[in-house]
């Protein structure tokens, strides 16, 4: 990647956003009748693009856009109809449908259309994927990832692409070979259902949700649909009794049937043992050094630029602060110098939290601990072979240092040796129920290292078993794995992380911002949690929650709703309960949505705000598909500074909220978009507010990636949809930390 460097600058910021320009495109547009939906439009455009040589097709409601290579003629109507006929013969869903073609005269492509067409070209382009580790048939490889973008330059929206480098962990062989060699293949449902897989031809990830039969029953049907000669031969050679699987891609509940030879299993922390590999070793190999990332990105950019040029599209230099200084944003002062307020009006900067707690104590004590003579009643539950008394003594001393008396009134040890998992869970349940009968404020549990990856097993982890039992009885919990306490030298570090969290779980507020946030009176995180039932294809549960924060970023309350939601859209009656007029009337409220506002949600919220005389600023916060940012110092690529932002338009920006050590990787920004239907403020104000709201994490010293109104939403969703929730649907204790 070529970056211009100004000698007068000490450092430069640049991005993975590449503007594109076009010249004399061979472009046409048509629509099918009757009109089709987005899902079918995208599927058809994928197949069109592979049927028509040196031509790409995309769908964007309600039109298909066709782009041919500069040296090639656009396909005729007859060629398109013939391609559609072939697609219908191969794809079951379209077989019985009758379509009519309608040409669109003088089409007016938008910058977004140009971006989508460019993306489709790259989807057809072959990129190299160097392998950096191979272990027992499992490989770690580097590969490109790309998606469409638009960016506002000189007041006009321009098409762009994001191009990045990522690592994947995959099984070298296909799923059929994995299955045939696996010792548990006799129990095919147990082995296959729920397994994450990757489609070999397109690289798309999916989850196996069912077994629909055998190769013998479906061979002819699958052969008719197979495209490559290799996959056809694999189908002919497959044993008659080999299962045929049904998979789902992402959020799509539609099932697709595959021969196992067309898929390869994905390797995750939960499945690594099945491949007899050490997941930690694989994970370490996924980390990409700045030098390697830059080299690969330069290589991938050249391949992409060459592919796009065939179609009359030029890939420009990445957006950087030399050419576009006004697009890059940084806070006025380093974020770690932000002033925080503790107890006794003691103020210190964010980087000095522990000293703030020592000198000022917590900003606000929970009503249960207003009386400073109140003793925190602690229970210790030990499920591993570890001496914990030295650590518990230090824990009590640290609590005393921060102004809280405590006592370990109960200690329970349970040996899990020689017990089956079912027997062990029964014994754990018995011990926890005994602890519940004794008044405790918090239970500190010491877990075996082996429990870390047990969540995805049928029995589940001890962590969530204990957490659930305690949460239902409004008893706080703190889990600690044995490996973190193997070295006494680590005790102080661990205490630094867990003590503020323990205090917050008990309802105390360790610290807040010393200065009020601008632009709003309240800040809310709105989330819809959903989950697919692992062994019931196509079924999903969903429920909603909010968390409310005040002008100084102080946590006010959470509210959970039990109503199951059809789809992901929050209905108006539920929004009324989540956003009560008594609290929010005549207020300005910034509402973060984890992901996009879907369906008519934004309209419902605007109507609700109008009805109660409030102003709702609607901000979407996305965590995936985000271009990375970098800094360049003395011609060397370095990690971006915490707080660096890139303005994509007047309503959209990306923001680096975390600081990641070089050995861990590169910080992943978040994307913030102000919804056009809500009350409008500047995108720069949203960046500043969001960044400051990441500073109020009481569960660890390190800032989270998301602002606190959204932080932990994934964890809350997982817990709730596993049936793990507090007995009170509304409360003022941060149980999710």
């Amino acid at each position: 990647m070529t970056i211009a460097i100004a000698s007068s600058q000490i450092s430069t910021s640049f991005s993975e956003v590449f503007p594109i320009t076009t010249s004399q495109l061979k472009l046409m547009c048509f629509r099918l009748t009757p009109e089709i939906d987005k899902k079918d439009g995208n599927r058809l455009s994928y197949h069109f693009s592979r049927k028509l040589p040196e031509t790409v097709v995309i769908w964007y409601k309600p039109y298909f856009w066709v782009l041919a290579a500069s040296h090639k003629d656009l396909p005729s109507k007859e060629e398109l109809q013939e391609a559609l006929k072939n697609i219908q013969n191969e794809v079951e869903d379209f077989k019985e449908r009758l379509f009519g073609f309608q040409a669109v005269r003088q089409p007016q492509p938008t910058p977004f259309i140009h971006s989508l067409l460019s993306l489709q070209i790259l989807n057809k382009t072959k990129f190299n994927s160097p392998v950096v580790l191979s272990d027992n048939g499992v490989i770690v490889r580097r590969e490109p990832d790309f998606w469409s973008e638009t960016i506002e330059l000189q007041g006009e929206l321009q098409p762009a692409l994001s191009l990045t480098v990522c690592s994947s962990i995959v099984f070298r062989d296909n799923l059929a070979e994995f299955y045939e060699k696996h010792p548990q293949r006799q129990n095919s449902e147990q082995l296959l259902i729920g397994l994450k897989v990757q489609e070999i031809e397109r690289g798309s990830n999916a989850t196996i949700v069912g077994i629909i039969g055998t190769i013998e029953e479906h061979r002819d049907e699958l052969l008719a649909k197979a495209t490559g000669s290799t996959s056809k031969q694999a189908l002919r050679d497959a044993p008659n009794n080999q299962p045929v699987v049904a998979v789902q891609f992402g959020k799509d509940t539609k099932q697709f049937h595959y021969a196992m030879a067309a898929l390869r299993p994905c390797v995750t922390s939960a499945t690594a043992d099945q491949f007899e590999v050490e997941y930690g070793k694989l994970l370490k190999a996924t980390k990409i050094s700045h030098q390697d990332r830059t080299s690969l990105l330069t290589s991938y950019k050249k391949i992409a630029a060459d592919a796009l040029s065939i179609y009359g599209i030029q890939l420009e230099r990445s957006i950087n602060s030399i050419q576009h200084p006004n697009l890059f944003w940084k806070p006025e002062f380093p974020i770690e110098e932000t002033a925080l307020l503790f107890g006794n009006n003691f103020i210190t900067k964010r980087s000095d939290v522990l000293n703030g707690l020592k000198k000022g104590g917590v900003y606000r004590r929970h009503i249960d601990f207003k009386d400073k003579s109140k003793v925190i009643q602690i229970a210790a539950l030990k499920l591993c072979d570890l001496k914990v008394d030295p650590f518990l003594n230090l824990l009590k001393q640290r609590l005393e240092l921060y102004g809280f008396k405590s006592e370990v009134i109960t200690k329970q040890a349970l040996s899990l040796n020689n017990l089956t998992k079912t027997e062990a869970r029964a014994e754990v349940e018995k011990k926890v129920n005994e602890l519940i009968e004794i008044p405790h404020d918090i239970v500190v549990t010491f877990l075996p290292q082996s429990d870390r990856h047990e969540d995805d097993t049928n029995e589940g982890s001890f962590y969530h078993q204990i957490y659930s039992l305690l949460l239902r009885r409004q008893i706080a919990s703190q889990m600690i794995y044995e490996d973190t306490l193997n070295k006494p030298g680590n005790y102080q570090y661990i205490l630094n992380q867990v003590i503020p969290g323990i205090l917050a779980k008990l309802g105390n507020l360790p610290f807040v911002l010393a200065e009020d946030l601008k632009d709003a009176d309240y800040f809310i995180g709105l989330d819809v949690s959903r989950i697919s039932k692992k062994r019931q294809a196509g079924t999903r549960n969903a429920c909603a929650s909010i968390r409310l924060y005040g002008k100084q970023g102080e946590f006010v309350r959470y509210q959970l709703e039990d109503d199951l939601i059809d789809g992901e859209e929050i209905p108006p009656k539920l929004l009324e309960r989540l956003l009560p007029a008594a609290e929010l009337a005549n207020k300005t409220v910034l509402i973060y949505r984890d992901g996009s506002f879907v369906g008519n949600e934004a309209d419902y919220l605007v109507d609700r705000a109008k009805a109660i005389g409030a102003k709702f600023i609607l901000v979407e916060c996305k965590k995936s598909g985000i271009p990375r940012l970098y800094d360049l110092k003395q011609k060397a690529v370095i990690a971006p500074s915490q707080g660096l932002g890139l303005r994509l338009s007047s309503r959209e920006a990306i923001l680096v909220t975390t600081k990641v050590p070089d050995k861990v990787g590169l910080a992943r920004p978040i994307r913030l978009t102000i919804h056009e239907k809500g009350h409008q403020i500047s995108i720069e104000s949203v960046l500043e507010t969001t960044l400051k709201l990441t500073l109020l994490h009481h569960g660890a010293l390190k800032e989270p990636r998301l602002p606190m109104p959204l932080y932990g939403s994934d964890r809350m969703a997982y817990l709730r949809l596993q049936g793990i929730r507090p007995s009170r649907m509304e409360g003022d204790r941060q149980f999710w930390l």
Side-chain angles (χ1 to χ4, degrees):
M1 178 169 46
T2 305
I3 299 294
I5 302 171
S7 59
S8 59
Q9 281 191 295
I10 296 176
S11 67
T12 301
S13 299
F14 62 101
S15 71
E16 294 177 338
V17 179
F18 297 83
I20 56 179
T21 57
T22 61
S23 58
Q24 298 180 325
L25 298 183
K26 288 193 174 178
L27 186 66
M28 65 176 288
C29 185
F30 70 90
R31 68 189 302 172
L32 292 179
T33 56
E35 195 167 298
I36 59 176
D37 62 16
K38 179 181 179 181
K39 182 169 65 176
D40 284 345
N42 287 339
R43 291 176 64 206
L44 280 171
S45 65
Y46 165 79
H47 288 290
F48 271 125
S49 295
R50 276 143 187 80
K51 293 291 181 189
L52 301 169
E54 295 184 291
T55 304
V56 293
V57 182
I58 60 109
W59 181 89
Y60 189 69
K61 187 176 181 179
Y63 302 137
F64 286 89
W65 296 82
V66 183
L67 176 66
S70 300
H71 65 274
K72 184 176 175 58
D73 292 334
L74 282 163
S76 65
K77 179 180 177 181
E78 289 72 26
E79 287 175 310
L80 289 170
Q81 287 176 320
E82 181 64 24
L84 179 59
K85 181 180 177 181
N86 291 334
I87 292 168
Q88 289 182 285
N89 287 333
E90 293 174 8
V91 183
E92 190 72 32
D93 294 6
F94 299 126
K95 238 173 200 176
E96 304 301 324
R97 296 174 63 175
L98 297 175
F99 291 114
F101 273 80
Q102 182 180 342
V104 178
R105 296 178 181 273
Q106 297 180 329
Q108 299 296 319
T110 64
F112 187 57
I113 295 297
H114 285 151
S115 295
L116 289 177
L117 287 165
S118 301
L119 177 63
Q120 193 72 300
I121 293 168
L122 296 193
N123 283 333
K124 290 181 68 171
T125 302
K126 293 285 187 183
F127 290 88
N128 58 308
S129 299
V131 174
V132 294
L133 178 70
S134 179
D135 183 10
N136 205 27
V138 175
I139 59 173
V140 179
R141 66 186 183 192
R142 309 283 189 246
E143 51 195 30
D145 193 13
F146 34 80
W147 56 89
S148 58
E149 291 280 357
T150 55
I151 187 165
E152 199 173 276
L153 301 175
Q154 287 82 47
E156 290 188 8
L157 206 60
Q158 302 289 331
L161 286 172
S162 274
L163 179 62
T164 190
V165 182
C166 59
S167 297
S168 65
I169 303 173
V170 296
F171 190 60
R172 188 185 295 275
D173 298 327
N174 62 41
L175 181 62
E177 292 164 314
F178 167 76
Y179 174 79
E180 292 300 331
K181 296 174 185 175
H182 203 282
Q184 296 177 20
R185 64 182 177 279
Q186 301 306 320
N187 192 346
S188 55
E189 285 198 359
Q190 183 71 32
L191 175 62
L192 296 173
I193 295 180
L195 188 68
K196 305 291 183 186
V197 292
Q198 185 183 67
E199 189 190 34
I200 292 174
E201 184 183 351
R202 287 186 292 176
S204 303
N205 291 325
T207 303
I208 297 176
V209 295
I211 296 174
I212 64 161
T214 64
I215 285 288
E216 184 176 25
E217 297 166 338
H218 296 273
R219 194 188 308 268
D220 292 342
E221 170 197 346
L222 292 169
L223 276 169
K225 293 179 180 178
T227 53
S229 58
T230 303
S231 56
K232 285 184 177 181
Q233 190 59 45
L235 280 168
R236 294 188 187 101
D237 296 341
N240 285 339
N241 62 349
Q242 190 178 91
V244 175
V245 298
V247 307
Q248 288 179 356
F249 292 92
K251 300 176 185 178
D252 190 355
T253 58
K254 182 175 175 58
Q255 294 182 32
F256 297 89
H257 299 164
Y258 278 87
M260 293 201 293
L263 304 168
R264 65 163 54 95
C266 295
V267 185
T268 67
S269 58
T271 63
D273 288 346
Q274 290 181 279
F275 300 91
E276 298 180 342
V277 291
E278 183 186 339
Y279 191 72
K281 179 181 175 183
L282 301 175
L283 201 61
K284 186 176 180 180
T286 64
K287 309 305 178 188
I288 308 173
S289 70
H290 298 329
Q291 183 177 352
D292 287 348
R293 184 180 293 276
T294 306
S295 175
L296 282 166
L297 197 53
T298 301
S299 169
Y300 290 147
K301 186 199 170 185
K302 184 180 185 309
I303 295 170
D306 290 345
L308 292 167
S309 67
I310 295 170
Y311 292 80
I313 298 173
Q314 292 75 47
L315 192 62
E316 303 293 336
R317 184 177 295 175
S318 71
I319 296 294
N320 59 79
S321 61
I322 296 175
Q323 293 177 300
H324 307 282
N326 294 334
L327 296 184
F328 287 84
W329 178 90
K330 287 184 180 180
E332 187 177 356
F333 303 103
I335 194 64
E336 63 271 15
E337 294 182 11
T338 302
L340 300 180
L341 178 61
F342 295 80
N344 299 312
N345 287 317
F346 183 79
I347 296 176
T348 190
K349 56 188 179 182
R350 177 63 176 85
S351 58
D352 199 26
V353 164
L354 298 178
N355 190 44
L357 287 169
K358 178 180 176 181
K359 292 186 176 178
V362 297
Y363 168 74
R364 187 181 69 203
R365 299 176 77 100
H366 191 268
I367 189 170
D368 292 348
F369 297 96
K370 283 286 187 185
D371 181 356
K372 293 187 178 181
S373 65
K374 160 87 174 182
V375 177
I376 297 174
Q377 308 284 331
I378 301 172
L381 176 61
K382 184 163 71 86
L383 304 184
C384 55
D385 185 18
L386 187 71
K387 292 181 180 180
V388 299
D389 283 350
F391 179 80
L392 289 171
N393 289 333
L394 289 173
L395 185 146
K396 288 166 53 182
Q397 292 173 24
R398 182 66 69 89
L399 288 170
E400 181 84 28
L401 184 66
Y402 296 161
F404 288 83
K405 296 180 179 179
S406 63
E407 192 62 49
V408 181
I409 63 170
T410 309
K411 294 179 184 177
Q412 293 276 14
L414 177 62
S415 174
L416 304 179
N417 296 332
N418 303 318
L419 296 178
T420 66
K421 189 64 180 287
T422 302
E423 292 170 339
R425 287 180 66 84
E427 288 298 315
V428 168
E429 181 180 2
K430 180 181 176 182
K431 286 291 184 187
V432 173
N433 285 334
E434 289 174 4
L435 293 176
I436 288 172
E437 294 303 314
I438 306 168
H440 292 108
D441 296 303
I442 188 166
V443 176
V444 180
T445 304
F446 300 92
L447 293 166
Q449 176 67 10
S450 59
D451 194 55
R452 278 192 187 272
H453 304 301
E454 290 295 302
D455 283 346
D456 290 332
T457 62
N458 288 335
E459 297 88 353
S461 65
F462 296 127
Y463 183 113
H464 281 117
Q465 180 191 17
I466 296 166
Y467 187 91
S468 176
L469 292 167
L470 295 173
L471 189 62
R472 293 177 192 279
R473 297 295 292 268
Q474 296 293 118
I475 300 174
S477 61
Q478 179 65 51
M479 309 293 179
I480 299 174
Y481 289 104
E482 64 175 325
D483 62 319
T484 61
L485 293 182
N486 280 337
K487 297 178 181 178
N490 292 339
Y491 287 2
Q492 292 300 328
Y493 172 80
I494 296 164
L495 290 168
N496 293 346
Q497 305 297 320
V498 303
I499 294 296
I502 287 174
L503 293 174
K505 290 174 186 178
L506 293 172
N508 304 290
L509 209 54
F511 51 83
V512 297
L513 295 170
E515 297 181 5
D516 286 356
L517 292 166
K518 303 171 184 177
D519 300 313
D521 302 299
Y522 286 109
F523 303 86
I524 287 177
L526 178 65
D527 180 48
V528 172
S529 312
R530 69 187 183 284
I531 194 170
S532 297
K533 295 179 182 176
K534 183 175 178 181
R535 300 188 183 275
Q536 296 179 40
T539 57
R540 292 176 184 269
N541 285 335
C543 44
S545 66
I546 67 152
R547 280 175 283 169
L548 182 69
Y549 291 75
K551 284 183 74 70
Q552 288 181 272
E554 70 274 20
F555 172 66
V556 178
R557 65 176 177 87
Y558 69 82
Q559 183 176 335
L560 309 175
E561 284 296 335
D562 252 348
D563 290 4
L564 288 181
I565 299 167
D566 183 16
E568 208 176 347
E569 178 181 298
I570 305 176
K573 64 178 181 180
L574 188 52
L575 287 172
E576 286 182 16
R577 297 204 300 269
L578 291 169
L579 305 168
E583 204 162 25
L584 305 180
N586 303 311
K587 303 292 185 183
T588 299
V589 185
L590 193 155
I591 300 176
Y592 288 103
R593 178 70 155 92
D594 189 5
S596 299
F597 290 99
V598 297
N600 295 316
E601 270 180 6
D603 295 312
Y604 298 156
L605 287 163
V606 170
D607 290 344
R608 178 63 176 165
K610 185 176 179 181
I612 64 175
K615 296 176 182 176
F616 287 174
I617 305 161
L618 308 180
V619 177
E620 298 174 342
C621 183
K622 298 176 184 175
K623 298 168 287 190
S624 59
I626 320 294
R628 283 185 164 96
L629 302 181
Y630 306 78
D631 280 341
L632 196 67
K633 191 172 184 179
Q634 296 177 348
K635 298 187 179 183
V637 173
I638 60 174
S641 57
Q642 189 177 9
L644 179 64
L646 173 63
R647 185 183 189 270
L648 298 174
S649 75
S650 59
R651 294 190 295 105
E652 186 171 42
I654 57 178
L655 177 66
V656 177
T657 54
T658 56
K659 190 173 184 178
V660 178
D662 285 347
K663 64 179 181 180
V664 174
L666 198 65
R668 293 179 299 152
I670 57 175
R671 185 188 299 265
L672 298 162
T673 307
I674 304 170
H675 198 285
E676 59 186 0
K677 292 185 177 178
H679 180 67
Q680 298 297 298
I681 60 174
S682 73
I683 189 64
E684 289 79 10
S685 293
V686 171
L687 293 178
E688 182 174 356
T689 293
T690 302
L691 197 57
K692 288 183 176 177
L693 284 171
T694 65
L695 303 179
L696 300 169
H697 184 19
H698 300 135
L701 292 182
K702 183 182 175 183
E703 296 85 3
R705 188 180 175 203
L706 296 178
M708 285 311 294
L710 288 180
Y711 170 76
S713 58
D714 288 349
R715 175 172 163 78
M716 288 179 71
Y718 176 84
L719 294 173
R720 292 200 62 207
L721 295 169
Q722 298 291 325
I724 303 173
R725 62 173 179 81
S727 54
R728 297 175 188 169
M729 299 298 282
E730 186 174 339
D732 59 1
R733 299 186 182 212
Q734 301 177 69
F735 66 86
W736 54 88
L737 293 178

